[in-house]
Amino acid sequence: MAEAITPRSKDYAQWYVDIVTHAKLADYSPVKGSMVIRPRGYAIWERMQSILDDLFKETGVQNAYFPLLIPQSFLEKEKEHVDGFSPEVAVVTHGGGAKLEEPLILRPTSETIIWSMYKKWIHSWRDLPLALNQWANVIRWEKRTRLFLRTTEFLWQEGHTAHATREEAQQRTLQMLEVYRHFAEDYLAMPVLTGIKSESEKFAGAEYTYSIEAMMQDKKALQAGTSHDLGQNFGNSFDVRYQTKEGTLESVWATSWGVSTRLIGGLIMTHSDDRGLVLPPKIAPIDVAIIPIFRSNNKAKVFEFAQRAQHDLKEHGLRVFFDNDESTNPGWKFAECELSGIPVRIELGERDIDAGQFVLVRRDTLEKETVAKDALVARIKEILVNMQADLYQKALTFRKENTYEFTDYAQMQHFFNETAGGFAQGLWCGSAQCESKVKNETKATIRNLPFSLNQHPHQGKCLICGEKASHKAVWGRSY
Amino acid sequence: MAEAITPRSKDYAQWYVDIVTHAKLADYSPVKGSMVIRPRGYAIWERMQSILDDLFKETGVQNAYFPLLIPQSFLEKEKEHVDGFSPEVAVVTHGGGAKLEEPLILRPTSETIIWSMYKKWIHSWRDLPLALNQWANVIRWEKRTRLFLRTTEFLWQEGHTAHATREEAQQRTLQMLEVYRHFAEDYLAMPVLTGIKSESEKFAGAEYTYSIEAMMQDKKALQAGTSHDLGQNFGNSFDVRYQTKEGTLESVWATSWGVSTRLIGGLIMTHSDDRGLVLPPKIAPIDVAIIPIFRSNNKAKVFEFAQRAQHDLKEHGLRVFFDNDESTNPGWKFAECELSGIPVRIELGERDIDAGQFVLVRRDTLEKETVAKDALVARIKEILVNMQADLYQKALTFRKENTYEFTDYAQMQHFFNETAGGFAQGLWCGSAQCESKVKNETKATIRNLPFSLNQHPHQGKCLICGEKASHKAVWGRSY
């Protein structure tokens, strides 16, 4: 570890960049706004993909792959969609040495190309529902970019389903939101607010957009995943109709939903500390590192014991890294383990071997303990379970401690403009005017209307304008 | 199965398109040359990815992800590389509503962007070797396209390694070629010739290109994977130097290697027949289909038995599909199984249940057999092993029967121009003139100089010009 990480207290934004670059998760590329995902960062993405892919398939989703290049005219078929995405597309004008007859855009999202294919594939109620997902790169021309959080090219999954009825599409939209909540909370240990977005924050082309929203350590919000009920907008725009059992023709109902490599940024900003990455065990590419402490005269003994431990741990399904590099010292290796977020490290020297024990250090708390040889596997598994639960609880407590209820707008303004901020919850009348007033005056936006706060209609007044309000919103400044 | 598949004997090219489209592996997209990979096709690609990814990682390769967009000037840094790829690039000229200062190309391959990053990451012998792979889409503007075999956008993996010495780069090049051979022969059941490409057929920017070459059922060749020894070409072009242990500065040695979704086309054309796909069990997404034969009065009994069988087979690690659709009849389902290449199907009716037996049909031979209930799992596993081996042997025999040795060029011309062709092997002087003469006069190209035919230097004469020849080449018309 050549360079030190800037402490969060000193410069949070620089701390984040330091973590990403020093832990070798990603790097800047020669093309502004495009990033390179390095092996350690990509290994986290692979874990995310593998878990999500299984969760999707359990709900009957199949994977497919649709083209990167989309005719420019397709974007224009859905009015709100084109308004939302036109400003951020990249355009291919030349191919194979010649100017193209029609320019092609690089997909910013794939509703249009996919619904042009659904038009070919969907004819009858027998063809429905159709639930496809793709793992792909997308391009959105962003002016201000940040590694993982906002880049011109990013990797994501996008699911696109087609249904015979409005109800079925609504159910699928909420089902996938629940998959995202489950993944965020139970794997990433990242508590999220699930809820519906406001009109002005919804996806361009959706009837309703739902999201999961997390709080980062700087108390800002991160939209970590979205699920859209697209109504019949794309069915109508692409003229996708199906014959019902009764023989009538109906327009098809749609959903789409996605999460991206942005989740890696969220993961970092939820758990990591000034020493480096902290990864929840369920998402960590490596569970345990074994660091041998040896001199030339006992190297053989220490290595043999370490290798036997590595073998045992692997046998029990743990992902183990034995750091047998002889050109670096143990202190350097300890720091590397901390930087790269390996949940448990074993510090193994001759004295421990002779005493029949192992020294374990848990990454998040840095607690050190000694465990007897025979208890090693069980104890490590226990630590991993505890660490997963503790990281979630810690993040949840942090969010709760930094969430305030407001009934007075002046107080909320003060909260965002004069304090370190957090989440503000309060009643909202539903008007875009109040929403944009808050945004202009505090830079805070409505993250969503959380289900948990809206299980029953509220009776009260909008905290901004004082008019009748029936929903409670959560505001925050966001990434 | 609505439409019949054109028989191979009638129109081989149409047979191939029919298989791909009727089995719903892929479809044409609205953008000429771009294809849509449908769930059944993508499931095959996922199997390929999963197997190859494990094989790569076993050799110490790590995955990463590099940007799609590459500055146009990068391509120009390596002279042969730019000559080879310039005619087929797609160019992005506008982004975010404005004209770009420098046009960006969509990666046709990623040597240039990756070596621009290696320049940042490689400084010392400690940083070597570096072995990264990415799973990505690439774009090459192709005039004539065919589903899977040649498309403007395709999915592939590209490995890029950096080494301290020429010998290490050479070893890695051959190691990855061997991984490809192993994968093609032992998983895809596709026999391949491994060998070195001629100067004129090598990768633009490589010192040496090696390939695996397979024979399709129409006796044409398919280049199924390549591994390139790039020498110091990219190290020099991107000024990537490392400090040796002795303190001197040396240019870095490179390799790259890739296989693509083209392999799906090769897989189809190696094994499939006029009824549909035939998939080697190791690559088939589903091993066994259970087709219930029932009337309304015994449906419950048949379904219950079928579900128990499904459960048993799954318990033993088999991938099972129970076709419980009630809107189609068994005959239609049998045809679907054959079309989609499921290796074994179980035809299960009440009579079989009462007799305590199952009727099995093996996809490649269509052999039907009856097996006692208790022997089901073991027998299916046996059939899968046999089928895997038999498909390989059948393809190998086909290649051998259609490979001829020539010492007379007139005979070889006749072979390619007047007969159904195949592979021609013979001595070659190594000159580009003889190579292009054959190409012009027969449309056949040198596939490679197979290792198996060149274990010792030959002493003899070039079959084209009669000059001294030391290598044996294999010619074929190719995809």
Side-chain angles (χ1 to χ4, degrees):
Chain A
M1 196 169 59
E3 304 150 273
I5 294 169
T6 307
R8 285 162 292 185
S9 58
K10 192 176 165 200
D11 182 344
Y12 186 84
Q14 189 59 45
W15 165 79
Y16 176 74
V17 170
D18 285 354
I19 294 272
V20 172
T21 55
H22 296 193
K24 298 184 181 173
L25 301 178
D27 203 347
Y28 298 100
S29 92
V31 174
K32 200 180 155 294
S34 284
M35 70 187 285
V36 174
I37 305 178
R38 301 187 71 175
R40 275 196 196 148
Y42 201 81
I44 296 173
W45 183 237
E46 286 181 309
R47 289 282 301 151
M48 289 184 174
Q49 285 188 299
S50 154
I51 295 162
L52 281 169
D53 204 67
D54 285 347
L55 295 173
F56 296 160
K57 284 176 177 161
E58 278 170 25
T59 73
V61 171
Q62 294 181 297
N63 285 334
Y65 186 77
F66 293 85
L68 169 72
L69 299 169
I70 302 179
Q72 196 163 35
S73 58
F74 276 30
L75 200 62
E76 288 152 20
K77 292 203 177 189
E78 211 287 333
K79 195 195 152 302
E80 291 178 8
H81 199 64
V82 65
D83 291 347
F85 284 103
S86 282
E88 22 181 88
V89 296
V91 188
V92 177
T93 53
H94 291 73
K99 191 167 186 218
L100 303 181
E101 284 183 29
E102 181 183 358
L104 300 170
I105 62 165
L106 302 182
R107 61 179 163 227
T109 179
S110 302
E111 278 76 8
T112 59
I113 187 86
I114 288 178
W115 280 85
S116 78
M117 297 308 298
Y118 282 4
K119 164 85 179 160
K120 285 177 80 171
W121 301 338
I122 297 172
H123 305 289
S124 144
W125 60 272
R126 285 191 189 81
D127 302 320
L128 296 173
L130 181 60
L132 301 187
N133 174 64
Q134 74 174 358
W135 293 95
N137 53 344
V138 285
I139 301 279
R140 297 181 188 175
W141 217 262
E142 300 280 1
K143 287 203 183 68
R144 292 171 53 192
T145 57
R146 279 169 190 258
L147 294 167
F148 288 119
L149 297 170
R150 194 177 293 277
T151 49
T152 296
E153 180 184 16
F154 56 90
L155 303 182
W156 78 344
Q157 62 68 217
E158 47 180 324
H160 297 269
T161 68
H163 303 273
T165 66
R166 177 195 290 272
E167 294 66 36
E168 213 184 276
Q170 284 173 339
Q171 278 168 21
R172 174 56 86 167
T173 307
L174 293 174
Q175 180 182 25
M176 299 321 289
L177 187 74
E178 170 58 18
V179 167
Y180 291 155
R181 185 208 60 76
H182 170 50
F183 176 69
E185 297 196 332
D186 302 334
Y187 290 89
L188 306 186
M190 180 196 282
V192 291
L193 297 174
T194 56
I196 192 164
K197 299 293 273 191
S198 66
E199 268 297 296
S200 54
E201 296 280 337
K202 76 181 191 187
F203 177 76
E207 299 267 293
Y208 303 103
T209 288
Y210 300 83
S211 71
I212 55 171
E213 304 277 340
M215 182 186 281
M216 304 292 100
Q217 289 184 63
D218 61 351
K219 304 176 190 175
K220 283 169 76 174
L222 185 84
Q223 177 177 296
T226 48
S227 185
H228 315 294
D229 181 345
L230 302 174
Q232 292 179 311
N233 293 342
F234 288 91
N236 287 334
S237 306
F238 285 86
D239 192 32
V240 185
R241 286 168 212 289
Y242 76 98
Q243 191 162 41
T244 64
K245 281 186 190 176
E246 295 72 34
T248 59
L249 268 186
E250 298 285 347
S251 188
V252 174
W253 301 83
T255 82
S256 69
W257 27 274
V259 296
S260 74
T261 37
R262 159 170 258 223
L263 282 176
I264 299 174
L267 189 67
I268 295 166
M269 290 202 296
T270 302
H271 305 298
S272 295
D273 62 23
D274 293 349
R275 289 167 179 259
L277 269 184
V278 175
L279 294 175
K282 284 193 192 172
I283 208 75
I286 294 168
D287 297 311
V288 189
I290 304 176
I291 314 293
I293 300 161
F294 61 96
R295 298 177 306 278
S296 55
N297 67 355
N298 66 5
K299 182 188 137 188
K301 180 175 174 183
V302 173
F303 271 41
E304 197 201 320
F305 203 79
Q307 278 156 351
R308 228 180 300 148
Q310 181 185 26
H311 179 80
D312 279 0
L313 293 166
K314 277 190 179 167
E315 289 268 292
H316 287 82
L318 293 166
R319 294 178 292 264
V320 190
F321 168 59
F322 170 38
D323 191 348
N324 59 5
D325 187 349
E326 298 185 34
S327 71
T328 54
N329 61 45
W332 192 90
K333 291 177 181 176
F334 299 161
E336 268 293 303
C337 283
E338 289 168 10
L339 177 60
S340 61
I342 298 171
V344 177
R345 74 167 180 263
I346 300 175
E347 302 179 355
L348 183 67
E350 189 173 15
R351 255 193 325 193
D352 304 312
I353 295 171
D354 293 341
Q357 66 186 30
F358 291 91
V359 173
L360 308 181
V361 182
R362 174 175 152 169
R363 172 63 186 91
D364 59 334
T365 58
L366 297 173
E367 281 165 3
K368 195 178 252 199
E369 67 181 73
T370 300
V371 61
K373 192 163 160 277
D374 294 342
L376 181 69
V377 173
R379 181 57 187 153
I380 286 179
K381 289 199 171 179
E382 195 173 29
I383 292 174
L384 296 176
V385 169
N386 293 344
M387 182 171 164
Q388 182 79 30
D390 292 352
L391 286 176
Y392 177 77
Q393 273 308 323
K394 189 178 168 195
L396 184 62
T397 302
F398 182 79
R399 189 187 76 195
K400 285 182 176 167
E401 286 173 354
N402 289 289
T403 300
Y404 294 85
E405 178 88 25
F406 289 95
T407 52
D408 179 277
Y409 179 54
Q411 287 179 355
M412 186 164 108
Q413 269 185 292
H414 179 268
F415 174 68
F416 281 119
N417 293 331
E418 309 295 335
T419 80
F423 282 179
Q425 58 189 48
L427 292 175
W428 170 55
C429 63
S431 81
Q433 286 96 311
C434 285
E435 195 179 0
S436 80
K437 179 180 163 75
V438 175
K439 188 172 177 178
N440 292 334
E441 292 173 356
T442 69
K443 293 186 191 142
T445 50
I446 293 179
R447 302 321 307 154
N448 63 29
L449 313 184
F451 298 145
S452 59
L453 301 180
N454 290 286
Q455 287 165 338
H456 304 288
H458 296 275
Q459 297 187 330
K461 290 176 174 170
C462 173
L463 91 110
I464 301 116
C465 68
E467 296 293 313
K468 190 174 173 307
S470 57
H471 285 84
K472 197 167 267 185
V474 165
W475 282 266
R477 289 187 181 169
S478 76
Y479 279 94
Chain B
M1 195 171 57
E3 304 151 273
I5 293 169
T6 307
R8 284 162 292 183
S9 57
K10 192 174 165 204
D11 183 342
Y12 186 85
Q14 189 58 46
W15 165 80
Y16 176 75
V17 170
D18 286 354
I19 294 272
V20 172
T21 56
H22 296 195
K24 299 183 179 173
L25 301 178
D27 203 347
Y28 298 99
S29 93
V31 174
K32 196 176 158 295
S34 283
M35 69 187 284
V36 174
I37 306 179
R38 302 186 71 175
R40 275 195 196 149
Y42 201 80
I44 295 173
W45 183 237
E46 286 181 309
R47 291 280 303 151
M48 289 183 175
Q49 285 187 300
S50 155
I51 295 162
L52 281 169
D53 204 66
D54 285 346
L55 294 173
F56 296 160
K57 283 175 178 163
E58 278 169 25
T59 73
V61 171
Q62 294 182 297
N63 284 334
Y65 186 76
F66 293 85
L68 170 71
L69 300 168
I70 302 179
Q72 196 162 35
S73 59
F74 276 30
L75 200 63
E76 288 151 20
K77 291 203 179 191
E78 212 287 332
K79 197 196 150 300
E80 291 179 7
H81 201 62
V82 65
D83 291 347
F85 285 103
S86 282
E88 19 180 271
V89 296
V91 187
V92 177
T93 54
H94 292 72
K99 190 165 186 223
L100 303 181
E101 282 182 28
E102 181 184 357
L104 300 171
I105 62 165
L106 301 182
R107 62 179 162 226
T109 180
S110 302
E111 277 76 8
T112 59
I113 187 87
I114 288 178
W115 279 85
S116 79
M117 298 307 298
Y118 282 6
K119 165 83 177 161
K120 285 176 79 171
W121 300 339
I122 297 172
H123 305 289
S124 145
W125 61 271
R126 285 191 187 81
D127 302 320
L128 297 172
L130 181 59
L132 301 185
N133 174 64
Q134 75 173 357
W135 293 95
N137 54 344
V138 284
I139 300 278
R140 296 180 187 175
W141 217 262
E142 299 281 0
K143 288 206 181 66
R144 293 171 54 192
T145 58
R146 279 169 189 259
L147 295 167
F148 288 119
L149 297 171
R150 193 176 293 278
T151 48
T152 296
E153 181 185 16
F154 56 90
L155 303 183
W156 79 342
Q157 60 68 217
E158 48 180 323
H160 297 269
T161 68
H163 304 272
T165 65
R166 176 195 291 274
E167 293 66 37
E168 214 183 276
Q170 285 174 338
Q171 279 168 20
R172 174 56 86 168
T173 308
L174 294 175
Q175 180 182 23
M176 300 320 291
L177 188 74
E178 170 57 19
V179 166
Y180 291 155
R181 184 208 62 74
H182 170 51
F183 176 69
E185 298 196 333
D186 302 335
Y187 290 88
L188 306 185
M190 180 196 283
V192 291
L193 296 175
T194 56
I196 192 164
K197 299 292 273 190
S198 66
E199 268 296 298
S200 53
E201 297 280 337
K202 75 179 190 188
F203 177 74
E207 298 267 293
Y208 303 103
T209 287
Y210 300 83
S211 71
I212 54 171
E213 303 278 340
M215 182 186 280
M216 305 291 100
Q217 289 184 63
D218 62 350
K219 304 177 191 174
K220 282 168 76 172
L222 185 85
Q223 177 178 297
T226 48
S227 185
H228 314 294
D229 181 345
L230 303 174
Q232 292 179 311
N233 293 342
F234 287 91
N236 287 334
S237 305
F238 285 86
D239 192 30
V240 186
R241 284 165 214 291
Y242 75 98
Q243 191 162 38
T244 63
K245 281 186 191 175
E246 293 73 33
T248 59
L249 268 185
E250 298 285 347
S251 188
V252 174
W253 301 83
T255 82
S256 69
W257 27 274
V259 297
S260 74
T261 37
R262 159 170 259 222
L263 281 176
I264 299 174
L267 189 66
I268 295 166
M269 290 203 294
T270 301
H271 304 297
S272 296
D273 63 23
D274 292 349
R275 288 166 180 259
L277 268 185
V278 174
L279 293 175
K282 284 193 191 173
I283 208 76
I286 295 168
D287 296 312
V288 188
I290 303 176
I291 313 294
I293 300 161
F294 61 95
R295 297 177 306 279
S296 55
N297 66 356
N298 66 5
K299 180 187 138 187
K301 179 175 173 183
V302 173
F303 271 40
E304 196 201 321
F305 203 78
Q307 277 155 352
R308 229 180 299 146
Q310 182 186 25
H311 179 80
D312 279 0
L313 292 166
K314 277 189 180 169
E315 289 269 292
H316 287 84
L318 292 166
R319 295 178 292 263
V320 190
F321 168 59
F322 169 39
D323 191 348
N324 59 5
D325 187 348
E326 298 185 34
S327 71
T328 53
N329 62 45
W332 192 90
K333 290 177 181 176
F334 298 162
E336 268 293 303
C337 283
E338 289 169 7
L339 177 60
S340 61
I342 298 171
V344 176
R345 73 168 181 260
I346 300 175
E347 303 179 354
L348 183 67
E350 189 173 15
R351 252 192 328 192
D352 303 312
I353 294 171
D354 294 340
Q357 66 186 30
F358 292 91
V359 173
L360 308 182
V361 181
R362 173 175 152 169
R363 172 62 185 91
D364 59 333
T365 57
L366 299 171
E367 282 164 4
K368 195 178 254 201
E369 67 180 72
T370 301
V371 61
K373 192 162 161 281
D374 294 342
L376 181 69
V377 173
R379 180 57 188 151
I380 287 180
K381 289 199 171 182
E382 193 173 31
I383 291 174
L384 295 177
V385 169
N386 293 345
M387 182 170 163
Q388 183 78 31
D390 291 352
L391 286 175
Y392 177 78
Q393 273 308 324
K394 189 178 169 195
L396 184 62
T397 301
F398 182 79
R399 189 188 76 194
K400 283 183 177 167
E401 286 174 353
N402 289 287
T403 299
Y404 295 85
E405 178 88 25
F406 290 95
T407 51
D408 179 281
Y409 178 54
Q411 286 178 355
M412 186 163 109
Q413 269 186 292
H414 179 266
F415 174 68
F416 281 118
N417 293 332
E418 311 294 335
T419 80
F423 282 178
Q425 59 190 46
L427 292 175
W428 171 54
C429 63
S431 81
Q433 287 95 313
C434 286
E435 196 178 359
S436 81
K437 179 180 163 75
V438 175
K439 188 172 177 179
N440 291 335
E441 292 173 356
T442 68
K443 293 185 190 146
T445 50
I446 293 178
R447 303 320 308 153
N448 64 28
L449 313 184
F451 297 145
S452 59
L453 301 179
N454 291 285
Q455 287 165 336
H456 303 288
H458 296 275
Q459 295 186 327
K461 290 177 174 172
C462 173
L463 92 110
I464 301 116
C465 68
E467 295 295 313
K468 192 170 172 305
S470 56
H471 285 84
K472 198 168 267 186
V474 165
W475 282 265
R477 289 185 180 171
S478 76
Y479 279 93

